[in-house]
Amino acid sequence: MNSWQIGNVRITKLQEQELAWNGTMILAQGTADNVKREGEWLQPFVDKQGKFLVSIHSLLVESEGRRILVDTCVGNDKNRPGFKDWTNLHLPYLATLQKAGFSRESIDTVVCTHLHLDHVGWNTMLENGRWVPTFPKAKYIMAQREWDHWSEYEGLPDFKNSIDDSVRPVVEAGLAELVETTRRLTGEVWLESTPGHTPGHVSVRISSGGENAVITGDMMHNPIQIAHPDWICEFDNDPRLASDTRQKFVERYCDQAVRVLGTHFAGPTGGHIVRRSGAFHFEA
Ligand SMILES: [Zn+2]
């Protein structure tokens, strides 16, 4: 289990699964050759065959007595015919939370960085044939702009179904709070607007006791995009805006004492953006 102390804030990685995927499933340029060309700095985030290691995890942020769960992975029992790795799972995610000391009832806030299927799955669980909120005492925070987009969405069936089985039930239960993309959650934690991958996509900023961190969300998927912010993700809703957001993010956090925690970064997950001989790299 990885965890980080940022001033008074504790952040804990709660992993649901880790997969090795051909990088080209995410980025057209994510070929094994391009991976090998990057060299050693990228090694913790790829395998020996040059595939991307893709971690699916939540990050639990403890701040000022609050327990804020950022993203809820793929979930169990969900039917996702277009994503074989993610259909009808029976993974011990809730046991992982429990083992780390977090009961479902103790989570008071869930943040969805965006409403893609691998970020909202554990928003709900199957109980007597019905999808019910997994975290009954939590407010589920999502950007108004994000909900407006997805609640009307009529495209890929799996993306649409995940709204119906993992997001709509928490909205209908009155647990969703639709917010601006810069909403402050505590004195130490706030949302930062990082649009492009989806229209209302947010990252999560943490600042406490002079220490700083940022949780990326899917503004990027693998640290190779730090070196190449212009490489477009297959699932970027607005590729040009996504690329522009990534470029600005990399420049803003480069050579700063800000720990970057990648929502899909495997292995060490956290590190710093640095400039080495004119190129951007990620140092775990
Ligand atoms: Zn994702």
Side-chain angles (χ1 to χ4, degrees):
M1 183 171 72
N2 307 42
S3 63
W4 301 268
Q5 191 73 36
I6 308 295
N8 295 317
V9 177
R10 182 122 195 116
I11 306 173
T12 306
K13 173 179 160 188
L14 301 159
Q15 190 173 57
E16 184 192 53
Q17 51 182 312
E18 189 167 298
L19 304 153
W21 276 0
N22 284 323
T24 51
M25 284 174 69
I26 300 175
L27 313 172
Q29 298 95 332
T31 61
D33 281 348
N34 279 342
V35 163
K36 280 170 194 156
R37 199 162 294 138
E38 290 302 324
E40 213 169 309
W41 71 273
L42 192 61
Q43 280 183 8
F45 311 101
V46 294
D47 76 2
K48 288 199 167 59
Q49 283 76 46
K51 291 183 177 182
F52 285 7
L53 294 174
V54 181
S55 176
I56 314 289
H57 53 248
S58 300
L59 292 166
L60 193 283
V61 179
E62 293 173 273
S63 166
E64 299 173 0
R66 300 262 302 276
R67 287 182 166 178
I68 304 165
L69 189 67
V70 179
D71 287 334
T72 63
C73 308
V74 175
N76 277 2
D77 305 303
K78 310 271 167 156
N79 185 27
R80 306 283 183 252
F83 293 83
K84 272 205 196 102
D85 286 332
W86 290 346
T87 207
N88 281 318
L89 297 181
H90 301 285
L91 295 175
Y93 173 82
L94 291 178
T96 301
L97 262 69
Q98 193 70 55
K99 227 180 279 172
F102 308 114
S103 68
R104 292 195 289 124
E105 291 74 17
S106 74
I107 304 297
D108 52 68
T109 309
V110 172
V111 170
C112 303
T113 60
H114 62 301
L115 300 182
H116 276 166
L117 67 167
D118 54 319
H119 298 262
V120 299
W122 276 106
N123 281 3
T124 60
M125 52 190 263
L126 198 56
E127 202 176 78
N128 302 321
R130 286 182 55 235
W131 297 109
V132 300
T134 306
F135 307 101
K137 296 188 176 155
K139 272 282 177 211
Y140 288 71
I141 306 277
M142 52 192 89
Q144 177 81 53
R145 190 180 306 161
E146 186 74 0
W147 172 245
D148 290 347
H149 174 77
W150 290 106
S151 58
E152 305 286 326
Y153 180 78
E154 292 291 345
L156 290 174
D158 286 348
F159 282 61
K160 186 172 145 45
N161 292 349
S162 63
I163 296 300
D164 289 339
D165 62 33
S166 305
V167 185
R168 227 175 276 284
V170 304
V171 173
E172 283 167 4
L175 298 183
E177 199 174 328
L178 303 173
V179 303
E180 292 293 309
T181 53
T182 52
R183 165 64 70 97
R184 184 166 278 279
L185 304 179
T186 74
E188 303 166 317
V189 181
W190 67 96
L191 305 182
E192 189 173 82
S193 178
T194 43
H197 181 61
T198 62
H201 187 280
V202 295
S203 300
V204 179
R205 268 290 267 124
I206 297 108
S207 183
S208 173
E211 298 189 302
N212 288 280
V214 60
I215 296 171
T216 59
D218 279 7
M219 187 257 314
M220 54 177 66
H221 288 73
N222 181 283
I224 201 168
Q225 284 175 293
I226 289 170
H228 304 281
D230 57 322
W231 287 4
I232 302 302
C233 166
E234 296 295 300
F235 300 105
D236 283 347
N237 173 270
D238 181 338
R240 187 173 296 190
L241 180 59
S243 165
D244 186 52
T245 293
R246 262 191 306 279
Q247 185 76 42
K248 285 184 181 144
F249 182 94
V250 168
E251 284 168 10
R252 180 158 71 247
Y253 292 117
C254 180
D255 293 325
Q256 305 291 317
V258 180
R259 190 174 295 276
V260 174
L261 301 170
T263 292
H264 286 306
F265 293 5
T269 299
H272 291 90
I273 298 174
V274 295
R275 203 183 258 115
R276 295 279 179 264
S277 337
F280 295 113
H281 289 173
F282 191 61
E283 280 186 358

